[in-house]
Amino acid sequence: MIPENDIPRLLSGCRTKYDKVRGNWVLLAPERAIKLDDIGAAILAETDGVRSLGGILDVLAEKYNAPRDQISGDVVKFLESLRDRRMLEVS
Amino acid sequence: MAWTAPKIEEVTCGMEINMY
């Protein structure tokens, strides 16, 4: 569970990179890599360390013309999975 | 593009990780 006022940010040493060979985004951490799909990359593109979870949901709901309630659970689950991997913090 | 639940795939092969 992540409150909507909380701000997610990638931890120091974690960054995204576009893999031109395979045509997909990856999230890199020291000696670790996670392949992202387009939706995951879109979420992280809005995760700038300034915008709150609520702000991220607003942007994505408009961008994808999708009900905010529908995407909220997916985004939170995604961010929590990165937090569990110690690649992201929420404050 | 339509919204779908994001999927992630952890890269477990050390050689593949080093490529990045």
Side-chain angles (χ1 to χ4, degrees):
Chain A
M1 186 63 198
I2 300 175
E4 285 208 12
N5 286 334
D6 280 10
I7 299 173
R9 64 176 62 80
L10 289 176
L11 286 173
S12 175
C14 297
R15 62 190 175 91
T16 55
K17 179 179 176 180
Y18 187 67
D19 180 353
K20 292 175 181 168
V21 176
R22 297 176 181 80
N24 63 275
W25 288 93
V26 290
L27 174 60
L28 301 178
E31 298 182 16
R32 288 188 295 158
I34 286 181
K35 294 178 184 174
L36 303 169
D37 62 7
D38 288 345
I39 299 288
I43 295 170
L44 288 183
E46 307 302 336
T47 304
D48 56 7
V50 176
R51 196 172 276 144
S52 68
L53 171 61
I56 292 170
L57 293 174
D58 290 341
V59 170
L60 293 173
E62 182 171 359
K63 181 176 180 179
Y64 287 91
N65 194 24
R68 200 170 182 282
D69 290 347
Q70 178 194 342
I71 69 172
S72 174
D74 291 339
V75 172
V76 169
K77 188 175 174 184
F78 173 79
L79 294 175
E80 286 179 333
S81 71
L82 297 184
R83 184 169 64 178
D84 291 346
R85 289 174 166 84
R86 296 189 180 86
M87 299 173 107
L88 178 124
E89 65 179 359
V90 179
S91 60
Chain B
M1 188 170 64
W3 179 268
T4 56
K7 298 183 191 67
I8 61 176
E9 179 188 343
E10 187 128 25
V11 180
T12 55
C13 171
M15 286 180 65
E16 187 176 356
I17 291 172
N18 287 338
M19 286 174 56
Y20 290 115

